Amino acid sequence: MIAPDLETGAERLAGLVERSEAVVAFTGAGISTECGIPDFRSPGGLWTKHAPIPFDQFLGSQEARDETWRRRFAMDETLSKARPGRGHRALASLYHSGKLPGIITQNIDNLHQASGIPHPKVCELHGNTSYAACLDCGKRYELKWVKDSFDQSGRAPECVECDGYIKTATIAFGQSMPPAAMQHAEELATSADLLLAIGSSLVVWPAAGFPLMAKRNGATLVIINREPTDFDDIADLVIHHDIGDVLSRFIAD
Ligand SMILES: [Zn+2]
């Protein structure tokens, strides 16, 4: 059912959380918009101005690698200033109360970890843009190192160990999904008795399959999103209101 208003939706959600033992959250861009992070896919979003650079182009030319890094550095002011919002803090409170075994996220902004949830409990389907790694040997690089190196040489640096290409630890278009994260997401989805799909339009696959997997496995499915989603019809509760407003009552501190 679609909640007729914010208060009714939030009350029903509180009842469902109360009765659940394993609440798993599946989060998308909508949970981070109140933190100042734009939804790249939204009209007027970054990706409507610059089409994302596909993975094969990144691999294929120095120019594409340089441009990818220039764009990442241009976003750094926004990304490094962002702090967890009410939705992140509410989920962190549920985690600390023992109710929430983990989060599956489409976001790359690191804000669930910044809210106090340990890194291994956050399953990042599309990676993390707050650090970088060598595509060949996996060596981790901090963004500051990449920026300093870029500023000195004028070009995207290569790995000091193996000369491999260094890229943010995100999954680019055309790059295969990370097997460990996919496995972790499946474990979380099938262990949930309540799945909260928050701030995702549920159109990006295979990520969107996890709420569906939870529902088919018997979990109660709640969708909290400003806009309607393709899964509204199968959800047990749909709340079309502001995520922070809906979730703020779960913030413990
Ligand atoms: Zn390397």
Side-chain angles (χ1 to χ4, degrees):
M1 60 90 70
I2 296 179
D5 55 69
L6 172 63
E7 195 52 38
T8 309
E11 258 173 42
R12 282 179 194 248
L13 175 61
L16 290 170
V17 169
E18 177 87 39
R19 291 193 291 279
S20 297
E21 288 177 2
V23 183
V24 169
F26 174 93
T27 63
I31 197 170
S32 294
T33 46
E34 76 172 22
C35 313
I37 295 179
D39 179 355
F40 302 137
R41 289 181 180 83
S42 69
L46 198 64
W47 287 353
T48 58
K49 288 176 214 148
H50 295 292
I53 296 171
F55 190 54
D56 58 347
Q57 285 183 28
F58 182 91
L59 294 180
S61 88
Q62 182 71 38
E63 176 51 38
R65 290 190 289 280
D66 293 348
E67 178 60 16
T68 300
W69 275 109
R70 273 193 290 270
R71 291 182 189 181
R72 177 60 187 81
F73 298 143
M75 285 162 59
D76 207 44
E77 180 125 1
T78 303
L79 286 165
S80 60
K81 273 190 192 149
R83 296 291 173 267
R86 289 172 295 169
H88 299 100
R89 290 163 56 211
L91 295 178
S93 296
L94 287 175
Y95 170 76
H96 289 297
S97 76
K99 279 262 182 194
L100 183 140
I103 292 177
I104 305 167
T105 189
Q106 298 173 281
N107 298 339
I108 57 175
D109 55 31
N110 203 50
L111 288 177
H112 288 302
Q113 291 92 328
S115 75
I117 299 181
H119 191 86
K121 303 292 181 186
V122 183
C123 173
E124 296 175 311
L125 293 174
H126 299 154
N128 188 316
T129 193
S130 69
Y131 61 96
C134 169
L135 288 173
D136 289 343
C137 74
K139 180 178 166 66
R140 178 178 165 133
Y141 288 89
E142 301 312 317
L143 297 187
K144 187 181 181 312
W145 182 91
V146 180
K147 177 79 163 65
D148 290 348
S149 181
F150 192 103
D151 287 347
Q152 267 180 15
S153 68
R155 48 177 275 166
E158 277 140 28
C159 179
V160 296
E161 304 279 346
C162 77
D163 292 336
Y165 300 141
I166 296 170
K167 184 180 154 299
T168 55
T170 48
I171 307 301
F173 279 85
Q175 191 172 3
S176 57
M177 298 293 286
M182 293 294 282
Q183 176 67 32
H184 185 198
E186 185 171 335
E187 286 163 16
L188 283 171
T190 53
S191 71
D193 59 7
L194 174 61
L195 191 130
L196 310 179
I198 302 168
S200 171
S201 47
L202 302 175
V203 293
V204 178
W205 290 79
F210 292 109
L212 197 61
M213 185 186 288
K215 174 68 180 164
R216 285 182 177 149
N217 197 51
T220 301
L221 175 61
V222 176
I223 293 175
I224 308 167
N225 197 50
R226 273 284 201 190
E227 311 297 327
T229 78
D230 288 351
F231 292 178
D232 286 5
D233 287 346
I234 64 157
D236 299 279
L237 173 64
V238 180
I239 306 175
H240 287 157
H241 291 277
D242 180 82
I243 291 162
D245 290 347
V246 175
L247 292 178
S248 55
R249 71 194 59 207
F250 295 99
I251 299 173
D253 50 320

